[in-house]
Amino acid sequence: MITYNAEGISMPKIKKRPTTAWIRAVVATYGRTVGEVGYLFVNDEKILEVNREYLGHDYYTDIITFDYDEGSTVNGDLVISLDTVRTNAEQFHRSYNEELHRVIIHGILHLCGINDKGPGEREIMEAAENRALAICPALNIL
């Protein structure tokens, strides 16, 4: 089950059913299934608080992924700052809708085992994001 919630901000205007189907389809391309995945949309102050409390990081980010995977089943909580998504959309000259879906799938790709911190990993993550976005029915961007 995939759930979508917001805390301290308005829920983003995402199409939940097509987005959920898209997430499941992307996960399946990695030979995995979706178990319990929870999205929590927050503002910058909340994500900074989560980052400090759970990761010991003192900076803003667009997404924090908590991985609870069990075998081939993807489970996790994903906390997304809509403030940072908006800032990144402007910085990278993307629509807000595209950047939001990029971040939504970015966390899922982490749960599927793709990293982005080591040498060459960022490029692998970006390619995986682009492949996923290319099949996203909720977007009219590609």
Side-chain angles (χ1 to χ4, degrees):
M1 169 181 252
I2 299 174
T3 59
Y4 306 90
N5 295 288
E7 182 180 313
I9 57 164
S10 297
M11 178 67 77
K13 293 181 170 112
I14 57 172
K15 299 174 183 176
K16 292 179 186 173
R17 285 188 182 162
T19 299
T20 295
W22 170 58
I23 291 167
R24 290 182 185 284
V26 170
V27 168
T29 67
Y30 292 91
R32 309 193 67 188
T33 58
V34 173
E36 298 290 327
V37 173
Y39 283 94
L40 179 61
F41 299 100
V42 300
N43 61 23
D44 270 352
E45 292 311 310
K46 182 63 177 180
I47 206 155
L48 180 60
E49 176 186 315
V50 172
N51 218 356
R52 287 175 175 159
E53 181 175 344
Y54 293 98
L55 302 176
H57 299 159
D58 192 25
Y59 54 82
Y60 299 99
T61 187
D62 51 1
I63 185 168
I64 299 173
T65 303
F66 295 97
D67 186 342
Y68 312 129
D69 286 357
E70 296 175 6
S72 64
T73 303
V74 170
N75 295 290
D77 287 320
L78 301 108
V79 183
I80 296 175
S81 170
L82 296 181
D83 293 336
T84 301
V85 167
R86 188 169 313 286
T87 299
N88 288 348
E90 293 169 6
Q91 180 181 352
F92 297 121
H93 308 288
R94 296 182 181 134
S95 74
Y96 173 77
N97 193 36
E98 178 185 359
E99 187 63 19
L100 177 58
H101 283 81
R102 181 177 297 277
V103 174
I104 285 170
I105 210 62
H106 180 93
I108 293 296
L109 293 170
H110 275 308
L111 296 178
C112 288
I114 299 175
N115 296 311
D116 60 356
K117 300 291 184 212
E121 290 179 340
R122 182 73 217 146
E123 294 79 6
I124 292 167
M125 175 62 85
E126 286 178 12
E129 289 170 355
N130 290 336
R131 282 191 305 276
L133 287 170
I135 64 167
C136 181
L139 296 179
N140 296 317
I141 57 169
L142 302 173

